[in-house]
Amino acid sequence: MNNTSILIVGVGGQGTLLASRILGDVALNSGLDVKVSEVHGMSQRGGSVVTYVKVGEKVYSPIIEKNEADIILCFEKLEALRWIDYAKKDAKIIINDQRIDPMPVITGKVKYPENIIEKIKANYKNVIVVPALEIAKKCGNIKAVNVVMIGVMARHSVFEKDIWVKAIEKTVKPQFLEVNLKAFEEGYNQAGI
Amino acid sequence: MKKLMLGNEAIARGVYEAGATVATAYPGTPSTEITENIAKYDEIYSEWAPNEKVALEVAIGASIGGARAATAMKHVGLNVAADPLFTASYTGVNGGLVIFVADDPGMHSSQNEQDTRIIARGAKVPVIEPSDSQECKDFTKEAFRISEEFDTPVIVRLSTRVSHSQGIVELEDRENYVLKPYVKNPAKYVMMPAMARRRHISVEERMAKLREFAEKSLLNRIEWGNKKIGVITSGVAYQYAREAFGDVSYLKLGIVYPLPENLIKEFASQVETLYIIEELEPFIENQCRKMGLKVTGKDKLPVIGEYSAGLIKEKLLGETPEKLNDIQDEAPARPPVLCAGCPHRATFYVLKKLKLTVSGDIGCYTLGALAPLESVDTTICMGASVGVAHGLEKARGKEQSKKTVAVIGESTFIHSGITGLIDMVYNNCSGTVIILDNSITAMTGHQHNPTTGYNIKGEPVKKVDLAKLCQAIGVERVKVCDPFDLKKFEQIVKEEVAADELSVIIAQRSCALLKHVRFGPVLTINQDKCIKCRMCMRLGCPAIVDRGDHVEINSTQCAGCDLCPRVCRFNAIEKAGGRDE
């Protein structure tokens, strides 16, 4: 199996769907087979959300399973921890260093796990941490976190930069294009990569 | 031209390419995007119907009228539409009639996990099952053709993973379908006993012809590989099987009812071990066992939940993935929550405070059952809140009514709450029904409904006035209130619950995610004033966080809805400077 499997995980409302649309468009333009599996409906309401993107010669199952992901794009730290079992041992794990407390933490029933990033780093060697919320704020819209993350991933992908830019231009609403292109650029140029 | 499309979007494209001109539906995850995408084609008349029964009836009418017609619903929607379905099976069609039904194995967004094939078999309606987006489009066109050739409605069965996965689809042109003439034909379309008896004979003849057709249809195909293992499968389960088994032999069924028995026997005779892989019920499997075939299926695979390649490998091949870490177990759950700014939060805050028994319904507000609001006592199906509240009173007496309310969204009330309320009026119930009117069908992703004043295309239309409707059917106590006006709302709920007559409270406030909803600046807690009573925590707002030694508002999450200052007795919650402060 030579498919590339990318998992996008986050919290409902963070824009994981848009990120997967951009990624899907990039894959389609590469001439490869692609499947993107999303979750809509109830679980989207502030719950844990996951999108599966698979690219390759021929893709059958639309979902990615444990130990299969080549890349995990994590929009939130706790979600990174939740889905970490899906990563291959040498997977690229890109984590937005943002914390969003789930309701059981908010109500004080359980604690938000400590040192998530250190724990993941101790088990996986390709971990990239991105202050995506700060970067998005700097670009002018906190909702651009998703495109910052796409920018970081683009830097690590085999696809040319302009294919990504075209996909963003096609996917994002015109009124938000400028801020999103800026967010992509900032993500792409992240230091320490 | 190639396009990446959701399964649901590809269905819409198939409906378009087939030349259909009428489409009607009630929204329901995971089927909603079918009709949303059909609405983008101006060549097709499309609408949101009040419920699935009406939607199917409209589609039946359009078919009798000579058009190719489509309707879409989720699995439980087919229960609502079952009455017209079972008889449309007898009348047959004029223009092609295709019913898209999306099952939800794993219950991502549903209250049960029923299998549409069982209902279809009961109704004697053929079932076609695509396994990816391209097939969604191709099979849709074939479904219309089959419908007309065999004079039958056709069900296209989807599942969450087919509906909500994007795949590459090759687009084609729209067929120039010419409206068929309408000819009065009571023997075919008036189903009273004398006519229906004759039509039942036609149904049985049709099923026999369909069984023959299934033997040679290109929708059923054999992919020969290694013959040590043979797999009979359909839908997305085919994709999982391909990934789990690789190069073995497959009989991929596109028509799952009626089944091609000879093709199955032929396939079975050439393989050593035969597996049946299908999500939910052993529908294909039971038929194979009845045919005397030795198969492995639900003896090893579950009837519960979604399948995956990993599950098949584990259950049939004994392969489990190696554990690469031991840190994942620490992740606490992240259940879905009512959004920051949600009008329902205020409603449930009051209902919990008053310690009421709450019969709930289907919508975002079902989340009022979860901590910390924990308000909802029951959720059964669309519209059930009203009947359940009535039943509680009839079982336990009027005293029960004084501590019970039904809560139901405005769209759900239109869908199937009205008849329940008429029952309450007619049979002298003193209960209280709260209609949560948030101006949109929210959970399924913001669709208009008969109370919003707009149709599926966003064009202004007449709207149902909920208060007048309730008065017209005989409810004398009808109150309208914004639940964010906490004191007034609490007062009204107290009064109406205590009243000896039936009452309806319309809790009116728009969904926080609607574009026209504008809130003020985000809020912040003045730590000098806060005495840490944690009253605000009772709202269960995702933006208000307990840090142990203090409570704070997460400015990224806060919508600025201004609800929390209304529960703070110490005026400690203040407006912050701006959105990004």
Side-chain angles (χ1 to χ4, degrees), chain B residues 67-267:
Chain B
R68 283 191 165 176
T71 179
M73 58 200 69
K74 65 185 295 174
H75 58 328
V76 287
L78 189 61
N79 300 340
V80 179
D83 204 0
L85 173 73
F86 274 67
T87 303
S89 170
Y90 277 33
T91 64
V93 304
N94 184 18
L97 172 60
V98 181
I99 304 158
F100 299 94
V101 187
D103 286 4
D104 190 16
M107 293 177 276
H108 294 274
S109 282
S110 304
Q111 69 270 37
N112 78 30
E113 211 169 12
Q114 69 186 52
D115 188 326
T116 288
R117 297 173 300 175
I118 310 278
I119 296 188
R121 186 173 55 198
K124 306 207 169 186
V125 169
V127 182
I128 286 173
E129 193 168 26
S131 70
D132 62 19
S133 295
Q134 180 69 52
E135 286 186 355
C136 279
K137 191 189 72 124
D138 296 344
F139 286 18
T140 291
K141 291 159 80 173
E142 179 65 2
F144 277 107
R145 211 194 54 72
I146 292 172
S147 170
E148 286 166 8
E149 182 179 339
F150 295 94
D151 192 12
T152 178
V154 173
I155 288 178
V156 174
R157 181 201 186 213
L158 304 158
S159 66
T160 303
R161 290 296 173 194
V162 172
S163 283
H164 286 169
S165 289
Q166 300 179 59
I168 297 172
V169 179
E170 181 78 50
L171 305 187
E172 293 162 287
D173 292 335
R174 176 169 161 95
E175 183 184 322
N176 184 21
Y177 183 81
V178 181
L179 196 70
K180 289 190 172 174
Y182 168 70
V183 182
K184 182 169 172 148
N185 187 354
K188 181 161 157 57
Y189 297 120
V190 180
M191 285 303 93
M192 51 203 286
M195 286 84 142
R197 280 183 206 118
R198 285 200 293 273
R199 288 302 300 174
H200 191 180
I201 296 167
S202 306
V203 169
E204 297 307 326
E205 286 168 357
R206 167 183 91 206
M207 290 316 293
K209 282 186 199 153
L210 276 162
R211 272 189 283 275
E212 274 173 43
F213 171 75
E215 299 287 354
K216 53 186 197 305
S217 166
L218 296 175
L219 300 190
N220 295 327
R221 66 165 193 263
I222 294 176
E223 296 169 1
W224 289 116
N226 186 327
K227 292 188 176 175
K228 277 207 155 74
I229 290 178
V231 179
I232 301 177
T233 182
S234 71
V236 75
Y238 161 78
Q239 310 288 358
Y240 300 146
R242 281 259 23 165
E243 200 142 316
F245 287 107
D247 177 37
V248 300
S249 296
Y250 299 89
L251 169 54
K252 183 191 174 297
L253 298 171
I255 302 176
V256 291
Y257 179 71
L259 288 168
E261 293 196 6
N262 293 328
L263 188 67
I264 289 172
K265 277 183 198 151
E266 153 78 13
F267 179 77

Side-chain angles (χ1 to χ4, degrees), chain B residues 459-481:
Chain B
E459 297 154 347
V461 288
K462 272 197 181 156
K463 72 179 188 185
V464 172
D465 183 323
L466 288 169
K468 278 190 190 159
L469 173 69
C470 295
Q471 284 155 352
I473 61 176
V475 182
E476 281 165 19
R477 302 178 70 104
V478 179
K479 300 279 160 68
V480 182
C481 184

Side-chain angles (χ1 to χ4, degrees), chain A residues 10-11 46-49 76-83 99-116 119, chain B residues 327-336:
Chain A
V11 178
S48 167
V49 290
E76 197 272 350
K77 287 190 286 187
L78 173 56
E79 295 312 308
L81 184 63
R82 186 185 319 285
W83 294 95
R99 167 178 170 168
I100 301 174
D101 289 345
M103 201 43 79
V105 171
I106 288 177
T107 56
K109 232 177 229 169
V110 291
K111 289 243 177 309
Y112 192 95
E114 285 174 8
N115 309 319
I116 289 175
K119 281 175 190 160
Chain B
I327 56 176
Q328 189 267 344
D329 302 340
E330 296 174 25
R334 189 187 298 275

Side-chain angles (χ1 to χ4, degrees), chain B residues 400-416:
Chain B
Q400 180 66 39
S401 264
K402 305 210 181 221
K403 48 183 183 187
T404 301
V405 293
V407 293
I408 182 166
E410 87 286 346
S411 186
T412 309
F413 178 70
I414 295 287
H415 178 284
S416 49

Side-chain angles (χ1 to χ4, degrees), chain B residues 225-543:
Chain B
N226 186 327
K227 292 188 176 175
K228 277 207 155 74
I229 290 178
V231 179
I232 301 177
T233 182
S234 71
V236 75
Y238 161 78
Q239 310 288 358
Y240 300 146
R242 281 259 23 165
E243 200 142 316
F245 287 107
D247 177 37
V248 300
S249 296
Y250 299 89
L251 169 54
K252 183 191 174 297
L253 298 171
I255 302 176
V256 291
Y257 179 71
L259 288 168
E261 293 196 6
N262 293 328
L263 188 67
I264 289 172
K265 277 183 198 151
E266 153 78 13
F267 179 77
S269 71
Q270 297 204 35
V271 297
E272 281 177 36
T273 308
L274 185 60
Y275 292 112
I276 312 288
I277 300 180
E278 55 188 324
E279 286 182 319
L280 302 177
E281 295 301 307
F283 186 86
I284 302 170
E285 183 179 331
N286 285 354
Q287 184 87 6
C288 288
R289 288 187 191 278
K290 224 169 102 187
M291 285 156 57
L293 298 175
K294 196 170 162 288
V295 302
T296 299
K298 299 294 178 187
D299 44 341
K300 294 204 169 153
L301 292 163
V303 292
I304 297 167
E306 275 194 296
Y307 282 14
S308 66
L311 178 111
I312 294 168
K313 281 186 201 164
E314 185 195 325
K315 302 285 181 192
L316 299 181
L317 304 174
E319 295 171 16
T320 45
E322 185 194 347
K323 202 155 169 52
L324 297 178
N325 70 69
D326 55 3
I327 56 176
Q328 189 267 344
D329 302 340
E330 296 174 25
R334 189 187 298 275
V337 290
L338 295 171
C339 306
C342 178
H344 306 321
R345 175 167 291 109
T347 304
F348 288 122
Y349 171 81
V350 169
L351 300 184
K352 185 177 186 186
K353 190 176 167 195
L354 299 177
K355 297 191 176 67
L356 296 172
T357 297
V358 178
S359 64
D361 225 298
I362 308 281
C364 291
Y365 50 90
T366 313
L367 294 172
L370 303 182
L373 295 163
E374 291 169 315
S375 218
V376 175
D377 287 62
T378 66
T379 301
I380 313 292
C381 66
M382 292 287 286
S385 59
V386 185
V388 166
H390 184 51
L392 278 168
E393 175 181 321
K394 294 304 171 191
R396 305 182 66 84
K398 294 252 178 202
E399 279 315 299
Q400 180 66 39
S401 264
K402 305 210 181 221
K403 48 183 183 187
T404 301
V405 293
V407 293
I408 182 166
E410 87 286 346
S411 186
T412 309
F413 178 70
I414 295 287
H415 178 284
S416 49
I418 301 170
T419 41
L421 189 61
I422 290 173
D423 189 28
M424 282 178 142
V425 172
Y426 175 51
N427 290 306
N428 190 30
C429 180
S430 63
T432 305
V433 176
I434 304 180
I435 301 175
L436 307 170
D437 180 7
N438 65 346
S439 320
I440 203 77
T441 309
M443 176 61 91
T444 43
H446 283 190
Q447 290 75 33
H448 283 294
N449 66 56
T451 72
T452 66
Y454 295 92
N455 67 13
I456 193 169
K457 299 238 183 204
E459 297 154 347
V461 288
K462 272 197 181 156
K463 72 179 188 185
V464 172
D465 183 323
L466 288 169
K468 278 190 190 159
L469 173 69
C470 295
Q471 284 155 352
I473 61 176
V475 182
E476 281 165 19
R477 302 178 70 104
V478 179
K479 300 279 160 68
V480 182
C481 184
D482 176 355
F484 268 41
D485 192 345
L486 282 173
K487 278 193 190 132
K488 187 173 162 206
F489 184 67
E490 185 180 330
Q491 189 55 38
I492 289 178
V493 174
K494 270 189 194 161
E495 281 168 19
E496 297 312 317
V497 169
D500 283 328
E501 301 140 74
L502 176 62
S503 37
V504 169
I505 303 167
I506 302 172
Q508 213 163 48
R509 189 176 183 82
S510 292
C511 170
L513 302 182
L514 279 171
K515 278 200 188 87
H516 66 78
V517 173
R518 293 264 181 273
F519 291 123
V522 298
L523 296 147
T524 181
I525 296 177
N526 182 334
Q527 300 298 339
D528 296 336
K529 288 192 191 168
C530 176
I531 65 143
K532 296 161 191 64
C533 68
R534 291 180 166 73
M535 211 46 199
C536 54
M537 293 300 304
R538 296 191 189 180
L539 290 170
C541 176

